[in-house]
């Protein structure tokens, strides 16, 4: 921690020299209130760097933090009650439908965008995730997508287990390419005694977050994406015709839920109560052969206080499905379908339209979203900031300096870039009421995991709930938003 | 309460002479409390009863915005932007998630009261004996009550974790000691049948001291002569307990049970932190469902309606306990 | 009660006491050791004894109390102190006044036909309303009156919740105080208010202390309202503890350290005033 802090400070000095902020004392006396989640992830860097910006501009920054589960309600309440509590908001991009669509944010001025090297930003973030319609309302701060992590010391063609595995399954042991390989490997290793940090002990096959009221539905969606996404058709959660039919209960999704239930039995017995926060502690501690999570696990797996698999972590794009369901034709298509899930879409920074200190807030937003800043933050453990710019992918040395080894850094960056650059990638649901839609999904998926209902019943219930939500919010308007959000029809 | 104190109490409660000053002062003394309760309790209560008959949700009324597509001037009941509807109360009858949460809540109340009362009572009897360092243990046993429920829940989650917690480890060693081939594994928080019990255990760990504290105080206030008389009559310890101690403690027991029961009806923090309501819907409580309906779904009208379901349950519970107590303890003031 | 006991009786007694002491103490021990663990000590199975099982570190304690995180911890701590003390003072004042009124005067609310007992029951019944009923109205009322995230807003809610018990306990307490002294003071020309302040309150210290302790403990530990109604300026410790389940991974060590920090004031107060807790509760609850 201390070492990385020193590192931060050094780079910061360099950063200040070509910072884009205005003259000394420009915003003297102003206070901007920043709302974001409880640190140290995401909010930590803002608190750490605010003093520098305060010194440059004379303004002061107050960071208000909320537990993730409360953040949406707090932000929405501030807008809807008109209490105007926050000036700058750092929030998950998939809430765009609730925040950007009603126009709660100040559009980002063009000259500000231009000053932040827009060509460097991966197009997915630059044009889609930070925008609503054609207007850009936010600055990308953090790139975020789900990927696959695995114990490279166990899963590779030269591994001591390779021969046994091949004898049993008939193909070489390596990074899983499809979900069926994923489950073969998980089954093979689940309960097997292997060497972890010099200790022979049984490990589990997978570590997947399955806890209710947390982040589990994103993990489930990572399974569902490849089974339900039709290549060339961006509409995944709903059909984009006028009926706006929820696809959540189609056979592809049901197959994905069956897989997710299979994961329950191939992981720790505690897994149904594990949220991402917990798999992030246990996977680097060597509990399990494979893990699905956001990019954060990369830096954590190189933290000696938290990880026993330093240098032994493999990074990969999410596995593909052996076949996918085409809801347009109503039939399975027997083709391998890779559709990584851009879960969550990352944290973005926006400024409230009703803020009294808009200029200052925009300036601070630009300070935090500056290319050099996010580049630095992405390689620092515990910032929660993942790459969203090409420059972050190109500069392998930066990652090596931060504790990665060369091969690991390349492997990691490759996996992230291949995920977010995949044309078949699935974007998170970012329409009005997304939190409510996804909560309904989360609840029923968890009931299926607890054997309260079958996979089909659970997803049928979700579809009914989604229809009810759409009817309440206005079906035509929701359809319009969804088309907008996925870029349907150009 | 001793005899003399009850005497005094009667004197104290005697009516005072009404002077002009007194008619003013009696209002001065009571008003602040009444005003605060009216403003912060009665007014919100009526207000939420009102919105339980509307479909008001975060960002306005759904029915009104739907109707405004046809007729832009339409603005609902008396132009106030909402409709009066019984839909929320209809939905209560059909909502199976609500029924599950209500069942879970009743389970917590019944199981929690039973465990906390029985163990709490037993500990009070133990602490009422003479032994060395009794004062220290009396204080020590109160400790769990002093932590915030949030922290108690996190502690429970650490201890009952099947892969990382000491409880599973203990069971493993016990199984080894007993020479069992496979270790006994208790799915504390991961099995829909076990998880509600685990929550009751954590809540009980925290609140057994409350029962102990009050019962112990009552035990110490018991007149010694009663025991002496019973012993002279040749009763043994067991008979004394059931014939004398327990009946005298009945009224206070009713109070303790009622207070704990009413508190358990409100249970939320422990659940949110330990199980998040899962696995499935096996541990979700009514209060948690209300909070989610209001804050996550923004469905204010329905949240208000189901909070009245909770209120009805609470009133039914209180009435039942009070009726029971009247039958058991006819002389009780209540 | 001091009778000769059979040896097995004593054995049983001590066995129960030791067993329950273990049940009470172990979770605190676990919190303490966890606050000294590195992430790996937690994530790689249970470790029990510092220096034997694992090498303890005070890093997490330092992290919580220094730098940016230190400011946050201290802010939450101070807010908890303000909310708890503020609402305790208000509850004691309002509760004592109403308790005295209900004990010494005859009230009759004509519209409802209520007398003292009815009013007292009405007040105590407020304590039993589920807080969920208030979630929505409070959000709306508080944002209308700009009370969101203010100390006074939180103090008022906690006072509302504490008042019923305070009134109930104080009424019972005043009932046990003889009225003779008050009457002779009034014969000497003291007003009601002077009698109340100079004679009644000093005699009521045990009752006042016990309601103060209870109000303090409740306000200090309350979670739901603090979560809903505060953001930054008035946010309290339980919300900070709950928030430690962050995306960086669940911070068991910080949770443990914060829990111990949060428990210390309450434990100290309870130890100092232990006699009064029992006194107040017996006064308030025994007669049901």
């Amino acid at each position: 921690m201390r070492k990385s802090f020193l590192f931060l400070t050094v780079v910061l000095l360099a950063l200040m020299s070509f910072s884009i902020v205005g003259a000394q004392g420009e915003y003297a006396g102003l206070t901007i209130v920043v709302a974001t989640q409880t640190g140290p992830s995401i909010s930590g860097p803002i608190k750490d760097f605010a003093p520098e910006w305060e010194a440059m501009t004379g303004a002061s920054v107050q960071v208000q933090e909320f537990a993730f589960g409360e953040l949406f309600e707090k932000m929405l309440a501030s807008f809807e009650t008109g209490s105007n509590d926050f000036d700058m908001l750092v929030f998950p991009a998939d809430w765009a439908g609730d925040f950007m669509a009603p126009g709660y944010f100040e559009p980002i001025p063009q000259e500000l965008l231009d000053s932040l090297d827009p060509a460097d930003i991966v197009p997915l973030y630059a044009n889609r995730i930070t925008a609503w319609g054609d207007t850009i309302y936010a600055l990308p701060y953090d790139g975020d997508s789900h990927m696959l992590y695995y114990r490279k010391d166990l899963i590779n063609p030269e591994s001591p287990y390779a021969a046994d595995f091949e004898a049993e399954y008939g193909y070489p042991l390596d990074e899983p390419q499809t979900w069926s390989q994923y489950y073969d490997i998980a089954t093979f290793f689940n309960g097997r005694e292997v060497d972890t940090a010099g200790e022979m002990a049984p490990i589990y096959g997978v570590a997947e977050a399955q806890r209710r009221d947390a982040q589990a539905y994103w993990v489930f969606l990572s399974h569902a994406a490849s089974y339900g996404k039709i290549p060339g058709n961006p509409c995944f959660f709903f059909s984009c015709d006028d009926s706006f039919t929820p696809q959540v209960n189609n056979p592809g999704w049901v197959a994905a839920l069956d897989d997710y239930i299979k994961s329950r039995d191939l992981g720790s017995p505690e897994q149904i109560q594990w949220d991402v926060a917990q798999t992030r502690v246990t996977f680097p501690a060597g509990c399990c052969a494979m893990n699905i999570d956001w990019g954060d696990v990369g830096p954590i797996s190189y933290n000696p206080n938290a990880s026993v698999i330093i240098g032994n972590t493999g990074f990969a794009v999410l596995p593909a499905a052996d076949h996918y369901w085409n809801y347009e034709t109503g039939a399975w298509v027997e083709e391998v379908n890779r559709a990584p899930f851009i879960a969550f879409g990352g944290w973005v920074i926006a400024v409230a339209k009703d803020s009294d200190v808009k200029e200052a807030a925009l300036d601070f937003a630009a300070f935090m979203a500056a290319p050099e800043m996010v580049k630095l933050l992405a390689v620092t453990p515990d910032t929660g900031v993942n790459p969203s710019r090409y420059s972050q992918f190109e500069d392998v040395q930066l990652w090596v300096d931060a504790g990665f080894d060369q091969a690991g850094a390349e492997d990691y960056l490759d996996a992230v870039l291949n995920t977010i650059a995949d044309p078949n990638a699935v974007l998170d649901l970012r329409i009005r009421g997304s939190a409510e839609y996804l909560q309904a999904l989360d609840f029923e998926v968890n009931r299926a995991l607890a054997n309260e209902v079958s996979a089909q019943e659970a997803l049928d219930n979700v579809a009914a709930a989604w229809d009810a939500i759409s009817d309440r919010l206005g079906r035509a308007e929701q359809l319009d938003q969804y088309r907008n959000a996925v870029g349907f029809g150009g | 309460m001793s005899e003399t104190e009850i005497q005094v109490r009667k004197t104290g409660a005697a009516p005072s002479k009404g002077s002009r000053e007194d008619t003013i002062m009696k209002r001065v003394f009571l008003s602040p409390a009444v005003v605060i309760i009216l403003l912060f309790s009665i007014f919100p209560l009526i207000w939420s009863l009102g919105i339980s008959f509307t479909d008001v949700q975060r960002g306005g009324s759904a029915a009104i915005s739907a109707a405004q597509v046809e007729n832009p001037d339409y603005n609902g009941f008396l132009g106030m932007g909402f409709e009066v509807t019984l839909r929320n109360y209809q939905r209560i009858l059909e909502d199976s998630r609500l029924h599950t949460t209500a069942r879970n809540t009743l389970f917590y109340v019944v199981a929690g009261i039973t465990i906390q009362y029985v163990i709490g009572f037993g500990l009070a009897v133990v602490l009422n004996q003479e032994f060395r360092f009794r004062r220290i243990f009396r204080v020590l046993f109160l400790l769990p009550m002093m932590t915030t429920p949030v922290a108690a829940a996190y502690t429970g989650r650490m201890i009952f974790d099947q892969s990382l917690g000491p409880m599973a480890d203990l069971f493993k060693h016990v199984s080894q000691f007993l020479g069992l081939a496979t270790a006994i594994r208790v799915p504390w928080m991961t099995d829909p049948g076990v998880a509600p019990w685990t929550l009751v255990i954590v809540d009980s760990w925290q609140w057994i001291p409350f029962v102990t504290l009050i019962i112990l105080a009552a035990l110490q206030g018991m007149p010694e002569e009663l025991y002496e008389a019973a012993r002279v009559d040749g009763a043994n310890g067991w008979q004394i307990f059931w014939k004398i101690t327990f009946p005298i403690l009945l009224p206070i027991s009713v109070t303790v049970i009622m207070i704990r029961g009413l508190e358990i009806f409100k249970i939320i923090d422990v659940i949110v932190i330990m199980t998040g309501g899962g696995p499935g819907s096996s541990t979700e409580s009514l209060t948690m469902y209300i909070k989610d309906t209001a804050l996550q779904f923004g469905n204010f009208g329905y949240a208000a309606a189901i909070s009245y379901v909770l209120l009805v349950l609470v009133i039914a519970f209180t009435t039942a306990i009070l009726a029971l107590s009247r039958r058991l303890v006819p002389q009780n003031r209540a | 009660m001091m009778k000769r006991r059979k040896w097995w009786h004593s054995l049983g007694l001590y066995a129960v006491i030791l067993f329950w002491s273990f049940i009470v103490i172990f979770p605190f021990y676990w919190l303490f050791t966890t606050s000294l663990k590195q992430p790996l000590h937690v994530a790689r199975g249970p470790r029990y004894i510092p220096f034997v099982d694992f090498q303890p570190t005070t890093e997490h304690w330092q992290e919580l109390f220094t730098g940016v995180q230190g400011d946050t911890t201290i802010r939450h701590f101070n807010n908890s102190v303000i909310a708890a003390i503020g609402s305790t003072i208000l509850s004691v004042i309002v509760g004592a006044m109403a308790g005295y009124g209900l004990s010494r005067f005859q009230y009759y609310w004509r519209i409802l036909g209520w007398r003292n007992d009815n009013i007292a029951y009405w007040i105590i019944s407020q304590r039993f309303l589920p807080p969920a009923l208030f979630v929505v109205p409070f959000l709306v009322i508080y944002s209308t009156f700009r009370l969101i995230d203010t100390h006074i807003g939180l103090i008022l809610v906690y006072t509302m919740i504490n008042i019923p018990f305070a009134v109930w306990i104080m009424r019972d307490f005043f009932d046990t105080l003889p009225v003779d002294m008050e009457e002779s003071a009034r014969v000497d020309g003291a007003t009601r208010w002077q009698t109340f302040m100079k004679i009644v309150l000093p005699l009521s210290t045990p009752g006042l202390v016990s309601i103060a302790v209870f109000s303090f403990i409740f306000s200090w530990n309350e979670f739901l309202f603090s979560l809903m109604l505060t953001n930054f300026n008035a946010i309290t410790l339980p919300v900070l503890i709950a928030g430690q389940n962050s995306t960086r991974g669940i911070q068991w060590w910080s949770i443990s350290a914060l829990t111990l920090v949060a428990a210390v004031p309450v434990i100290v107060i309870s130890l100092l005033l232990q006699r009064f807790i029992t006194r107040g509760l017996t006064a308030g609850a025994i007669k049901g």
Side-chain angles (χ1 to χ4, degrees):
Chain A
M1 195 63 197
R2 199 156 300 116
K3 204 171 125 196
S4 61
F5 201 80
L6 192 75
F7 176 64
L8 275 174
T9 327
V10 171
V11 183
L12 178 86
L13 291 172
L15 196 136
M16 280 166 63
S17 55
F18 48 102
S19 170
I20 54 137
V21 290
Q24 182 95 21
E26 194 181 340
Y27 303 115
L30 300 181
T31 298
I32 61 173
V33 177
V34 180
T36 187
Q37 75 158 353
T38 308
S41 300
I42 302 301
S43 73
I46 299 174
K47 290 196 284 186
D48 287 340
F49 288 97
E52 313 298 334
W53 181 79
E54 287 169 343
M56 282 185 282
T57 60
S60 60
V61 175
Q62 188 188 76
V63 182
Q64 304 198 355
E65 297 166 275
F66 305 99
F68 184 77
E70 313 302 326
L71 191 58
F72 177 75
E73 292 147 20
K74 291 283 183 186
M75 287 181 168
L76 199 62
S78 156
F79 290 128
E80 285 188 345
T81 61
S83 57
N84 194 13
D85 297 326
F86 315 122
D87 301 305
M88 176 176 136
L89 297 91
V90 185
F91 66 100
D94 58 344
W95 299 345
D98 291 277
F99 294 168
M100 293 181 185
Y104 293 142
F105 292 142
E106 180 73 9
I108 307 288
Q110 193 58 45
E111 55 279 18
L112 191 67
L113 286 174
D114 293 342
S115 71
L116 293 172
D117 193 4
D120 182 38
I121 307 171
V122 177
L124 181 77
Y125 294 105
N127 311 326
R128 179 64 50 74
I129 283 178
T130 54
W132 191 257
D134 296 328
T135 318
I136 292 181
Y137 287 102
L139 297 173
Y141 176 53
D142 159 50
D144 244 338
S145 58
H146 266 180
M147 48 197 278
L148 175 72
Y149 299 89
Y150 60 93
R151 290 273 302 268
K152 212 177 185 164
D153 53 334
L154 306 176
I155 304 169
N156 71 67
E158 272 84 53
S159 138
Y161 306 97
D164 282 353
F165 182 86
E166 192 161 357
E168 203 167 322
Y169 294 97
Y171 61 93
L173 177 61
D174 205 351
E175 180 175 297
Q177 298 302 314
T178 64
W179 288 114
S180 52
Q181 291 177 7
Y182 175 85
Y183 284 108
D184 286 347
I185 297 173
T187 314
F188 179 81
F189 279 107
N190 191 36
R192 190 171 286 261
E193 290 215 349
V194 303
D195 177 17
T196 305
E199 216 179 288
M200 287 301 285
I203 59 164
Y204 302 112
V206 300
E208 292 186 22
Q210 298 193 317
R211 184 185 172 88
R212 219 192 102 163
D213 281 12
Q215 308 87 0
Y217 58 89
W218 277 303
V219 181
F220 165 66
L221 287 169
S222 282
H223 286 271
S226 51
Y227 281 105
K229 170 78 166 64
I230 307 166
N233 178 350
C235 305
F236 166 69
F237 293 91
F238 298 91
S239 65
C240 282
D241 56 8
D242 288 339
S243 71
F244 193 55
T245 313
Q247 290 306 324
V248 65
N249 57 344
N250 78 31
W253 286 67
V254 176
L257 185 50
D258 285 335
D259 271 6
Y260 191 51
I261 293 170
K262 223 187 292 174
S263 296
R264 176 195 65 197
D265 303 326
L266 291 170
S268 158
E270 202 61 29
Q271 190 166 256
I272 195 172
Q273 290 297 0
W274 275 3
D275 49 14
V276 164
Q278 209 143 358
T279 59
R280 264 172 207 188
V281 171
T282 45
F283 176 73
C287 76
C288 312
M290 290 175 292
N291 167 232
I292 295 172
D293 200 336
W294 280 274
D296 311 56
V297 177
I300 297 175
S301 71
Y302 280 93
N303 174 359
N305 279 337
S307 170
V308 297
I309 51 170
I310 296 175
N312 285 330
T313 321
F315 310 94
V317 183
L318 286 174
D322 288 322
H323 56 184
Y324 66 93
W325 178 258
N326 185 332
Y327 64 80
E328 287 168 336
T329 60
W332 284 102
V333 178
E334 297 301 327
E335 243 170 56
V336 171
N337 186 33
R338 187 183 286 274
F341 179 49
I342 314 295
F344 195 72
W347 294 83
V348 296
I349 307 179
V351 171
K353 201 183 182 76
D354 292 332
S355 163
D356 300 329
V357 287
K358 257 186 280 196
E359 317 280 283
L362 279 170
D363 193 71
F364 185 53
F367 173 79
M368 288 311 299
E372 297 75 20
M373 176 68 88
V374 292
K375 194 168 170 178
L376 162 67
L377 296 181
V379 295
T380 314
D382 292 343
T383 60
V385 174
N386 298 311
S388 60
R389 286 172 172 273
Y390 287 118
S391 56
Q392 291 166 302
F393 294 103
E394 282 150 11
D395 202 343
V396 179
Q397 191 52 42
L398 204 58
W399 297 83
V400 174
D401 291 344
F404 277 69
D405 51 69
Q406 181 79 21
E410 280 170 12
D411 192 17
Y412 175 72
L413 293 173
D414 240 32
V416 179
L417 192 57
N418 285 337
T419 299
I420 57 183
D422 194 312
N424 201 29
V426 172
L427 275 185
D428 212 335
L429 184 64
R430 43 198 292 278
I431 59 178
R432 187 169 157 230
S434 67
E436 206 181 335
Y437 285 106
L438 294 174
Q439 220 276 339
L441 176 68
D442 183 62
F443 177 66
E444 291 293 340
V445 163
N446 199 271
R447 290 184 68 200
L449 287 175
N451 289 335
E452 272 180 38
V453 287
S454 72
Q456 182 71 55
E457 276 174 282
L459 295 177
D460 285 346
N461 292 343
V462 179
W466 284 14
D467 269 331
I469 299 168
S470 302
D471 283 336
R472 213 180 58 232
L473 300 177
R475 190 167 283 263
E477 198 186 324
Q478 292 299 97
L479 170 63
D480 199 47
Q481 285 211 358
Y482 187 58
R483 284 179 172 169
N484 236 320
V486 297
F488 175 78
Chain B
M1 280 298 111
S2 69
E3 288 285 305
T4 46
E5 267 176 294
I6 290 166
Q7 287 286 321
V8 171
R9 180 194 152 78
K10 290 205 178 106
T11 345
S16 64
K17 296 164 289 184
S19 68
R20 229 187 96 73
E21 188 209 350
D22 274 6
T23 46
I24 299 170
M25 285 315 286
K26 75 187 232 188
R27 298 220 169 84
V28 171
F29 276 113
L30 191 58
S31 299
V34 171
V35 167
I36 289 186
I37 290 177
L38 282 178
L39 275 181
F40 284 86
S41 181
I42 305 302
F43 173 63
L45 211 61
I46 295 171
W47 197 83
S48 62
L49 183 66
I51 61 166
S52 75
F53 289 101
T54 71
D55 67 343
V56 169
Q57 54 182 22
R58 194 157 43 206
S61 159
I64 303 302
S65 32
Q68 278 169 342
V69 175
E70 309 262 302
N71 172 12
D73 293 332
Y74 180 70
N75 206 12
F77 178 70
L78 301 177
M80 293 203 288
F82 61 84
E83 261 185 349
V84 176
T85 168
L86 279 175
R87 236 169 298 152
N88 291 324
Y89 288 92
Q90 269 162 11
R91 191 173 151 195
I92 282 174
L93 300 175
E94 296 150 13
D95 187 351
S96 63
R97 185 167 173 187
L98 174 68
H99 303 159
T100 313
T101 53
R103 241 192 338 268
N104 294 342
T105 309
L106 289 177
F107 168 81
Y108 294 135
V109 171
V110 174
I113 286 178
T114 313
I115 291 179
Q116 289 165 29
Y117 180 67
V118 171
I119 299 182
F121 196 110
L123 288 175
V125 171
V126 166
L127 286 181
N128 197 35
Q129 317 280 314
E130 294 283 343
F131 58 90
R132 269 162 184 271
F133 309 120
R134 185 167 73 157
R135 282 184 58 86
I136 295 176
F137 286 104
R138 281 189 184 169
V139 177
L140 181 75
F141 283 13
L142 291 186
L143 279 185
M145 232 171 91
M146 310 300 167
T147 53
T148 141
V150 172
Y154 268 127
T155 315
R157 197 166 149 194
M158 278 191 256
I159 287 177
F160 288 110
D161 188 299
Q162 271 183 87
S163 44
L164 314 173
M167 193 57 100
D169 213 31
L170 175 74
F171 273 70
K172 200 172 83 190
H173 288 296
V174 169
S175 322
Q176 272 169 8
F177 180 74
L178 296 175
L180 299 179
T182 49
I184 306 166
R185 302 202 77 132
V186 184
W188 295 107
M189 291 178 288
T190 55
D191 183 275
V194 181
W197 286 102
T198 311
L199 291 172
V200 170
I201 290 173
V202 172
D203 189 64
S204 299
W205 177 78
Q206 189 164 24
W207 293 111
I208 282 173
F210 177 79
V211 180
T212 309
L213 182 70
I214 293 181
I215 301 281
L216 180 60
L219 277 173
Q220 295 192 304
M222 299 257 292
E224 188 71 8
E225 306 87 69
L226 282 173
Y227 292 111
E228 296 298 339
R231 279 196 203 98
V232 169
D233 292 347
N236 66 25
W238 193 246
Q239 285 167 331
I240 291 178
F241 179 80
W242 282 112
K243 294 267 163 60
I244 298 176
T245 317
F246 192 71
I248 291 186
L249 291 179
L250 260 181
I252 185 72
S253 299
V254 170
T255 311
V256 170
I257 286 176
M258 196 162 89
I259 293 178
R260 277 316 301 149
L262 291 164
E263 293 292 323
I264 302 176
F265 265 111
K266 308 173 189 171
I267 191 165
I268 176 167
D269 0 14
V270 179
I271 302 174
V272 167
I273 284 167
M274 277 192 73
T275 63
S281 53
S282 60
T283 59
E284 199 169 43
S285 74
L286 262 176
T287 302
M288 188 180 165
Y289 186 41
I290 294 167
K291 179 194 166 264
D292 281 358
T293 309
L295 298 180
Q296 280 192 334
F297 308 149
N299 198 338
F300 295 161
Y302 189 53
I306 51 182
S307 48
Y308 272 87
V309 173
L310 178 56
L311 186 60
V312 168
L313 285 178
V314 166
I315 291 173
F317 169 79
T318 319
T319 317
I321 294 281
L322 287 180
L324 198 69
S325 86
R326 275 205 200 90
R327 284 183 61 181
L328 292 173
V329 229
Q331 76 281 15
N332 185 28
R333 192 176 83 182
Chain C
M1 293 283 259
M2 194 57 184
K3 290 274 134 49
R4 289 147 278 117
R5 273 195 299 253
K6 299 233 164 50
W7 65 269
W8 49 265
H9 190 155
S10 295
L11 188 73
L13 185 72
Y14 281 104
V16 170
I17 286 170
L18 288 180
F19 173 74
W20 197 259
S21 303
F22 177 77
I23 300 248
V24 167
I25 294 172
F26 183 76
F28 288 98
Y29 173 78
W30 195 252
L31 285 170
F32 177 67
T33 51
T34 303
S35 74
L36 303 176
K37 288 173 186 171
Q38 289 286 7
L40 275 179
H41 299 141
V42 177
R44 289 193 63 73
R47 307 280 168 102
Y48 296 90
I49 307 162
F51 297 107
V52 177
D53 265 351
F54 64 95
Q55 193 56 39
T57 168
T58 54
E59 206 177 285
H60 312 303
W61 286 88
Q62 286 168 12
E63 203 181 305
L64 277 178
F65 289 99
T66 52
V68 187
Q69 180 60 41
D71 297 344
T72 310
T73 313
I74 289 161
R75 178 162 45 83
H76 285 251
F77 190 89
N78 289 344
N79 287 337
S80 276
V81 171
I82 293 171
I85 290 183
S87 74
T88 301
I89 292 173
L90 257 184
S91 310
V92 169
I93 294 174
V94 176
M97 284 173 66
Y100 184 74
L102 286 171
S103 168
R104 292 292 189 267
F105 299 101
Q106 290 290 314
Y107 290 90
Y108 180 60
W109 289 359
R110 208 158 294 134
I111 307 167
L112 298 161
W114 283 2
R115 297 185 185 279
N116 287 30
D117 270 353
N118 306 99
I119 297 172
Y121 275 114
W122 174 68
I123 291 178
I124 191 75
S125 70
Q126 301 307 309
R127 182 70 182 82
F128 301 144
L129 293 174
L133 272 171
F134 301 110
V135 169
V136 177
F138 266 77
L139 266 182
V140 176
I141 294 166
Y142 266 49
S143 45
T144 314
F145 292 100
R146 304 246 150 209
L147 284 171
I148 297 260
D149 201 20
T150 58
H151 290 122
I152 187 70
L154 210 54
I155 288 173
L156 282 173
V157 183
Y158 291 168
T159 306
M160 184 273 281
I161 299 173
N162 285 327
I163 277 181
F165 254 137
V167 174
W168 189 254
I169 290 177
M170 287 319 291
R171 179 196 180 211
D172 272 340
F173 196 89
F174 292 131
D175 276 356
T176 64
L177 286 183
V179 288
D180 319 11
M181 284 178 76
E182 289 170 60
E183 270 162 9
S184 56
R186 301 200 57 211
V187 169
D188 292 346
T191 62
R192 267 285 176 192
W193 186 253
Q194 284 165 338
T195 323
F196 178 66
M197 296 298 285
K198 298 250 167 69
I199 311 241
V200 179
L201 286 189
L203 286 174
S204 320
T205 320
L208 296 174
V209 171
S210 76
I211 59 172
V213 171
F214 272 95
S215 305
F216 185 87
I217 294 180
F218 173 82
S219 318
W220 183 267
N221 288 339
E222 204 282 335
F223 173 67
L224 186 64
F225 282 104
S226 177
L227 180 76
M228 267 168 33
L229 301 177
T230 64
N231 298 337
F232 181 84
N233 295 313
I235 200 160
T236 60
L237 267 180
V239 183
L240 179 67
I241 298 176
Q244 293 304 309
N245 186 2
S246 69
T247 46
R248 160 167 86 150
I250 190 158
Q251 306 291 299
W252 291 120
W253 31 93
S254 318
I255 291 169
S256 303
L258 281 171
T259 302
L260 293 172
V261 169
V264 166
V266 185
I267 290 177
V268 168
I269 288 177
S270 317
L271 286 184
L272 292 178
L273 305 174
Q274 198 237 347
R275 284 180 305 135
F276 297 110
I277 301 183
T278 323
R279 178 92 176 92
L281 266 177
T282 42
I286 271 202
K287 280 167 268 115

